[in-house]
């Protein structure tokens, strides 16, 4: 099992040790690979800090290691893996075990020397002596270091990437998430000017309050870890029907969690009673809206309870998106999966967490982050994410409009038992309470059919891409409950999450064409006869 840093690999080992029988955990060992700094070629690669830590384990221990990998989202991205594998094959990535266990990796030197604008056009001669594709005549040509490095990376990995812009890319992503960067221009070589106002409604929000992660799950995992680090070991509350791994994180890391599965006012009454009886919690974790029923908890009331009873509020805004809603005003931490519509292109993953500077836990959270946060967002991934997210706002508008058009086709259809969409549901006032002026209702909707057979016929007939994930540029249909909860269908149904639910993530296709696709699939379902 591969991880980006030795600290993270060590966390995986600690997880297995605390969850597996001792004899099983005893099989684990660690291998750390890092750049061979003695090689002349490695100079050009220091900027990337390429490293991989491997947890080796027996077959019996593997399921436990996999749990850590899955829940924490701490694995290596495919671009990091490919890059490091290339270096490994060339002998540039070597065992780093001479560094004693527990000693932090040499901190990344960072990209400062790449911040000057450089032309890559000048000079074409090979420049490296050892084992690199640039080797042709063995001569080392003196070229400026920056240019040499950039060229090496591009030639070695055959990519159209300007690595000099990685830190700018991360900065632009953070600002976009802050709602402080509306333009969709190319990045320039000079650093962005100071951040001014933002659409989050938090005047003192700074770029440094936004943290990037390799995926959304990792943002949630680290938000929880930061809170545990800042406030000590306390139980959390999972409020609302959760994304699978969120509940697992709260259950398996730290002292556990209390689960409220309906995100309703009566759930809040129960929670309030628990608090009044003297129970105390680390934090409430909720999604806004929830998945797959698009339920919206009452954030006003959760905030009031949090202030009174001293717990943090962590809101996952992935489905609503900050282009439609503003939940930061009610939250201590807002997390998001950037893999979804923020990227849109499903060729890169990412996650983010925002610390609200007005939170009562802000100072201790920042202190914890200073101590523990490792930026493991792979530079190439950041470049892709920045490019993809430039037109995020206009894509959201389009997805909003397409989703509403599909709702108009679905709502009157007699096969449909329930349509779940924030505009048309009981919890709608809670959505309206945070909807931005001009904000829509998002690109995700779920439909439940009266009959399971009709649901199958619809699913088989609909001419969209099919599969998990959401927020892609193209419409994506998924038998979500079967995919995510197949082993626990009755449990899911007890929260109103039914097996005949079909979840639709609405894409950017031409509205008329998309509406036609849904009409045809509904018609096919109407005409279908029950099958064995
Ligand atoms: C949300 O909670 C607030 C404060 O307790 C309350 O005034 C409001 O009516 C609630 N909203 C809904 C939709 O129940
Ligand atoms: C798909 O997503 C990318 C973002 O990566 C965007 O630039 C592109 O225009 C999108 N495609 C369509 C059809 O909108
Ligand atoms: C959601 O909205 C639909 C359409 O208005 C309605 O039939 C359904 O009962 C609502 N569901 C909930 C849980 O409010």
């Amino acid at each position: 099992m591969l991880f980006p840093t030795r600290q993270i690999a060590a966390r995986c080992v600690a997880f297995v040790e605390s969850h597996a029988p001792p004899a099983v955990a005893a099989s684990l060992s660690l291998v750390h690979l890092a750049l061979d700094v003695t090689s002349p070629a490695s100079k050009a690669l220091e900027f990337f800090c390429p490293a991989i830590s491997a947890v080796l384990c027996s077959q019996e221990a593997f399921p436990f290691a996999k749990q850590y990998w899955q829940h924490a989202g701490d694995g290596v991205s495919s671009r990091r893996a490919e890059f490091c594998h290339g270096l490994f094959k060339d002998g540039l990535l070597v065992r780093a075990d001479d560094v004693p266990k527990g000693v932090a990796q040499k901190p990344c030197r960072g990209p400062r020397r790449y911040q000057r604008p450089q032309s890559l056009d000048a000079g074409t001669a090979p420049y490296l002596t050892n084992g690199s594709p640039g080797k042709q005549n063995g001569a080392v040509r003196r070229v400026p270091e920056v240019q040499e490095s950039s060229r090496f990376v591009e030639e070695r990995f055959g990519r159209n990437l300007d690595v000099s812009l990685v830190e700018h890319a991360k900065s632009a992503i953070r600002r976009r998430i802050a709602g402080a960067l509306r333009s969709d221009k190319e990045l320039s070589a000079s650093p962005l000017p100071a951040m001014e106002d933002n659409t989050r409604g938090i005047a003192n929000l700074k770029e440094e309050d936004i943290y990037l992660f390799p995926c959304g799950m990792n943002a949630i995992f680290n938000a929880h870890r930061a809170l545990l680090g800042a406030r000590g070991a306390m139980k959390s509350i999972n409020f609302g029907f959760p994304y699978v791994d969120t509940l697992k994180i709260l259950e398996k890391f730290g002292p556990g969690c209390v689960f409220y599965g309906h995100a309703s006012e009566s759930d809040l009454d129960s929670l309030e009673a628990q608090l009044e009886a003297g129970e105390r919690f680390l934090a409430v974790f909720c999604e806004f809206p929830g998945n797959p029923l698009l339920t919206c908890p009452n954030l006003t009331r959760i905030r009031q309870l949090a202030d009174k009873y001293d717990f943090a509020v962590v809101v996952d805004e992935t489905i609503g998106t900050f282009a439609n809603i503003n939940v930061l005003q009610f939250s201590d931490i807002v997390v998001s999966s950037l893999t979804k519509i923020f990227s849109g292109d499903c060729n890169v993953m990412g996650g983010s967490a925002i610390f609200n500077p007005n939170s009562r836990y802000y100072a201790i959270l920042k202190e914890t982050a200073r101590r523990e946060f490792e930026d493991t967002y792979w530079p190439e991934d950041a470049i892709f994410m920045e490019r993809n997210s430039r037109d995020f706002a206009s894509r959201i508008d389009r997805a909003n409009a397409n989703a509403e058009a599909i709702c108009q086709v679905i709502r009157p259809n007699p096969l449909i038992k329930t349509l779940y969409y924030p505009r048309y549901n009981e919890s709608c006032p809670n959505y309206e309470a945070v909807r931005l002026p001009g904000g829509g209702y998002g690109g995700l909707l779920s439909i439940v059919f009266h009959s399971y057979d009709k649901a199958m016929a619809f699913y088989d007939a609909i001419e969209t891409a099919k599969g998990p994930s959401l927020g892609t540029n193209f419409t994506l249909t998924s038998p979500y409950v079967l995919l995510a909860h197949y082993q626990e269908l009755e449990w899911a149904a007890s929260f109103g999450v039914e097996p005949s639910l079909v979840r639709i993530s609405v894409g950017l296709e031409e509205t008329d064409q998309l509406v036609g696709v849904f009409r045809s699939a509904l018609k096919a379902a109407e005409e279908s006869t029950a099958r064995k």
Side-chain angles (χ1 to χ4, degrees):
M1 193 74 68
L2 302 177
F3 296 100
T5 71
R6 59 170 65 215
Q7 286 90 335
I8 291 171
R11 279 213 294 276
C12 174
V13 170
F15 177 87
V16 178
E17 282 170 349
S18 66
H19 287 79
V24 171
S27 74
L28 297 188
S29 61
L30 287 166
V31 176
H32 303 295
L33 299 175
L35 197 59
D36 177 7
V37 287
T38 63
S39 158
S42 71
K43 191 120 202 81
L45 294 158
E46 275 175 10
F47 163 75
F48 278 81
C49 303
I52 289 263
S53 287
V55 173
L56 309 182
C57 60
S58 67
Q59 259 181 41
E60 292 71 35
F62 184 79
F64 295 93
K66 178 175 169 282
Q67 278 179 38
Y68 178 83
W69 175 87
Q70 176 185 331
H71 302 326
D74 254 340
V76 298
S77 85
S78 48
R79 287 190 185 87
R80 180 194 287 262
E82 187 185 23
F83 194 102
C84 289
H85 190 221
L87 297 183
F88 184 70
K89 284 195 296 192
D90 287 354
L92 288 172
L93 208 62
V94 296
R95 279 188 83 129
D97 289 353
D98 44 336
V99 184
K101 205 176 167 184
V103 171
Q105 251 165 273
K106 191 177 95 176
C108 280
R109 265 226 271 149
R112 212 165 300 114
R113 64 206 172 94
Y114 292 88
Q115 285 180 356
R116 278 166 290 151
Q118 290 289 338
S119 161
L120 293 180
D121 298 332
T124 52
Y127 47 86
L128 289 162
T129 47
N130 266 327
S132 92
K135 175 176 138 184
Q136 273 157 31
N137 58 10
V140 177
R141 230 183 77 133
R142 297 311 309 165
V143 289
E145 192 185 46
V146 172
Q147 183 180 324
E148 178 178 308
S149 304
S150 303
R151 177 175 297 285
F152 175 80
V153 169
E154 296 210 353
E155 289 186 2
R156 173 67 182 76
F157 299 99
R159 289 176 202 278
N160 173 27
L161 281 186
D162 190 344
V163 293
S164 69
L165 295 182
V166 170
E167 284 308 302
H168 293 1
K170 289 188 177 178
S171 172
I173 295 168
R174 288 192 202 97
R175 286 163 184 238
R176 213 160 270 147
I177 292 165
L181 185 67
R182 308 293 288 178
S183 85
D184 54 4
K185 296 207 180 61
E186 290 283 321
L187 289 181
S188 76
S190 45
L192 294 163
M195 191 168 115
E196 287 165 10
D197 53 343
N198 63 74
T199 59
R200 295 274 189 174
I202 307 282
N204 51 342
L205 183 65
K206 295 179 295 300
E207 190 187 314
E208 299 74 47
D209 297 332
I210 293 142
Y211 295 84
L212 300 180
F213 300 92
C215 66
M217 225 46 249
N218 196 237
I220 296 174
F221 178 73
N222 279 301
H224 183 237
R225 230 164 60 79
L227 282 163
L228 284 174
R231 302 197 61 211
M234 297 165 84
K235 280 190 181 178
S236 291
I237 294 157
N238 188 312
F239 197 74
F241 193 80
Y243 183 68
V244 187
D245 292 301
T246 304
L247 182 57
K248 302 289 186 232
I249 287 172
L250 303 182
E251 285 172 348
K252 294 185 186 175
F253 297 85
C257 105
V258 175
F259 173 47
Y260 287 100
H262 297 279
S264 60
E265 288 301 304
S266 73
D267 271 358
L268 280 177
D269 294 341
S270 311
L271 173 59
E272 188 163 8
Q274 240 186 321
L275 293 162
E276 263 169 23
E279 283 199 57
R280 289 297 172 267
F281 295 98
L282 181 71
V284 160
F285 284 75
C286 66
E287 298 170 19
F288 198 101
N291 180 15
L293 300 188
L294 289 308
T295 314
C296 301
N298 185 340
L299 292 180
T300 310
R301 187 162 166 205
I302 292 175
R303 183 72 258 161
Q304 286 168 354
L305 292 173
D307 289 340
K308 187 163 171 197
Y309 295 106
D310 194 21
F311 59 83
V313 178
V314 183
V315 179
D316 182 342
E317 67 174 5
T318 303
I319 292 174
T321 82
F322 61 89
N324 287 324
I325 55 172
N326 178 9
V327 296
L328 186 58
Q329 51 183 329
F330 296 108
S331 317
D332 296 279
I333 303 179
V334 166
V335 290
S336 192
S337 167
L338 309 178
T339 311
K340 310 301 184 327
I341 198 163
F342 188 77
S343 159
D345 227 3
C346 53
N347 59 0
V348 63
M349 298 179 79
S352 63
I354 310 175
F355 292 176
N356 185 337
N358 303 325
S359 159
R360 73 166 76 163
Y361 313 115
Y362 178 74
I364 43 172
L365 280 171
K366 289 295 278 189
E367 186 46 44
T368 309
R370 257 191 294 279
R371 227 174 34 235
E372 302 199 3
F373 174 73
E374 297 181 277
D375 181 354
T376 57
Y377 202 28
W378 182 246
E380 293 173 290
D381 290 332
I383 294 274
F384 274 81
M385 183 59 78
E386 190 284 317
R387 275 192 203 158
N388 289 357
S389 59
R390 282 176 199 165
D391 58 357
F392 161 70
S394 63
R395 285 186 285 114
I396 288 275
D397 289 343
R398 175 114 196 177
N400 288 342
N402 278 352
E404 298 224 11
I406 291 171
C407 285
Q408 297 317 317
V409 179
I410 297 213
R411 287 182 83 201
N413 191 289
L415 298 182
I416 306 293
K417 184 169 146 199
T418 318
L419 162 70
Y420 294 99
Y421 189 60
R423 181 161 203 165
Y424 304 114
N425 280 101
E426 271 166 18
S427 57
C428 200
N430 295 330
Y431 192 93
E432 294 300 340
V434 299
R435 189 161 67 90
L436 288 167
Y441 297 85
L444 197 72
L445 55 100
S446 292
I447 53 187
V448 172
F449 288 78
H450 288 290
S451 133
Y452 193 77
D453 285 330
K454 296 291 183 190
M456 283 199 289
F458 172 83
Y459 182 74
D460 286 348
I462 191 152
E463 294 196 348
T464 66
K466 292 168 189 177
S469 197
L470 56 96
T472 47
N473 260 349
F474 49 86
T475 297
L476 192 52
T477 308
S478 139
Y480 179 79
V481 184
L482 300 184
L483 286 183
H485 301 288
Y486 192 71
Q487 306 296 340
E488 50 192 17
L489 289 177
E490 279 182 28
W491 173 81
S494 73
F495 296 97
V497 180
E498 300 175 52
S500 69
L501 179 145
V502 178
R503 192 186 74 177
I504 294 146
S505 167
V506 179
L508 310 180
E509 296 90 345
E510 282 301 320
T511 308
D512 290 347
Q513 180 230 327
L514 200 53
V515 163
V517 165
F518 277 80
R519 280 194 206 287
S520 309
L522 286 168
K523 186 150 178 287
E526 279 159 21
E527 289 165 359
S528 73
T529 49
R531 20 176 190 171
K532 273 270 156 197

